[in-house]
Amino acid sequence: MRFELATAPGDPERPNEDWASVALPAVGQGGALVLLDGVTPPAGDYGCVHPVPWFAARLGGALLELSASRRDLSLAEVLAEAIRRTAEAHRDTCDLSHVRTPQATVVLARWDADEIEHLVLSDSVLLLESPDGAVRAVLDDRLDRVPPEVLASLAATDALRNAEGGFFTAAADPAVAGLAVTGVTARTEVRALAALSDGVSRWVDMFGEGDWGDCVGVLRKEGAQGLIDRVRALERAEAATPLVRRWKRHDDAAVVYAEL
C-alpha cells in the first residue's frame, strides 16, 4: 500500500480550514481515510466562539476514530455520530442553530479485504481508479446546481444552506448524514483512491487541465504535493490576467491519495 497526504492554506496569513488523515488498523487489511473542507463563513457573527479549524479538527478526529473502530456502523452512521459528538462539545457555549454555525464538506472511505465503502457530502471529491485505469468520480453536486447569481447573495445562500432544495454540509444536525452520497465497491475493482478538497479539484473542474483520470495520473507520478503545486501555478498565472476575477484566488487545498 502507498499513502500520501498533503495540504496547504489558501492564504499563509489565515489558518488552513481543511483537515485530512488516514487510519490503518493493526489487524487485518483494512483502513480508512477522512478529508474535510471547512466552510469559511462570511465576515460577521456565526453564533460560535470557535474558529472553523477547531470544528474541522473535532469532527475529523471523531470520524477517523469511529471509521476505524466501529466497523459495525455504516459510514452514514459514523458521520451522524461524529456530528453529534462534535455538537455536544460546544452546545453549551455556542448557538448551533445559527445557519452559519461551523460546518464542513466530508469525504470518507473505508476498506477491508472484500469491499470499499464511501461517503461524500458537499463539494469535495472522491476518485476511485479501477485496475484498468478507468476513474469514477463520486460527487455530491447539489451545490453546483445552485445558480451562481444566487450564491452571490449571502441571504439567498443562507436560505439554501442545509435546507430542502439547497445543499448540505456537516454542521450540527446528525440527520444530514442520511443525505450524503454513499456506496460500496468490491475491493478487487479499485486499485487507488483519491480524496480532494475543492481547492485541489479545481485543477479539473475550474481550470480544465485534464479529466479525473488525468488527475489520478498526476497523483501517481508527482504525488499529492505535486498536484497542489500545479494548482497554485495555475492560480498565479490567472492572477496575472486582469480579465478573470474570483472570490477566492487561492483556496485551502488538501489531498489524500491511496494505492491499495
Side-chain angles (χ1 to χ4, degrees):
M1 292 184 181
R2 171 192 170 196
F3 298 93
E4 284 201 24
L5 292 83
T7 185
D11 181 345
E13 301 300 318
R14 292 176 54 87
N16 190 340
E17 295 172 343
D18 286 0
W19 193 95
S21 192
V22 173
L24 298 177
V27 179
Q29 300 177 17
L33 67 81
V34 179
L35 182 142
L36 305 180
D37 181 352
V39 177
T40 305
D45 177 56
Y46 54 93
C48 187
V49 300
H50 303 100
V52 173
W54 176 93
F55 174 82
R58 282 278 185 159
L59 182 62
L63 286 169
L64 191 68
E65 186 265 310
L66 290 165
S67 296
S69 67
R70 294 295 306 275
R71 301 198 68 90
D72 57 311
L73 300 178
S74 69
L75 290 185
E77 290 170 328
V78 164
L79 177 56
E81 177 59 23
I83 292 173
R84 187 177 296 109
R85 285 188 185 182
T86 305
E88 287 303 315
H90 65 141
R91 189 179 303 282
D92 292 341
T93 58
C94 305
D95 176 12
L96 303 189
S97 68
H98 196 293
V99 69
R100 297 176 192 162
T101 190
Q103 50 204 269
T105 74
V106 181
V107 176
L108 299 176
R110 180 171 65 184
W111 59 92
D112 59 21
D114 300 316
E115 61 185 26
I116 298 171
E117 305 166 75
H118 68 257
L119 178 151
V120 175
L121 184 66
S122 200
D123 61 348
S124 291
V125 180
L126 178 68
L127 304 178
L128 305 174
E129 184 188 40
S130 67
D132 67 3
V135 174
R136 174 164 62 101
V138 181
L139 305 167
D140 175 359
D141 66 352
R142 282 170 287 204
L143 181 58
D144 293 334
R145 286 185 243 149
V146 179
E149 59 270 21
V150 174
L151 294 176
S153 164
L154 294 181
T157 301
D158 283 347
L160 294 175
R161 192 185 303 277
N162 289 315
E164 189 65 34
F167 60 94
F168 297 89
T169 56
D173 181 5
V176 76
L179 301 173
V181 177
T182 60
V184 179
T185 307
R187 171 87 179 251
T188 56
E189 296 179 9
V190 178
R191 72 178 183 186
L193 299 167
L196 316 173
S197 69
D198 68 344
V200 181
S201 66
R202 54 174 53 187
W203 189 83
V204 173
D205 55 32
M206 180 184 292
F207 293 112
E209 289 294 296
D211 60 19
W212 296 118
D214 298 322
C215 186
V216 173
V218 172
L219 286 168
R220 177 169 285 110
K221 293 178 182 178
E222 302 177 24
Q225 187 60 51
L227 180 58
I228 292 176
D229 290 344
R230 282 185 174 228
V231 172
R232 293 292 187 250
L234 291 165
E235 292 165 341
R236 288 192 296 271
E238 187 182 74
T241 305
L243 298 179
V244 180
R245 291 286 181 267
R246 299 192 191 277
W247 177 57
K248 283 186 177 181
R249 175 66 64 188
H250 305 285
D251 197 2
D252 296 340
V255 181
V256 180
Y257 176 62
E259 292 182 356
L260 304 181

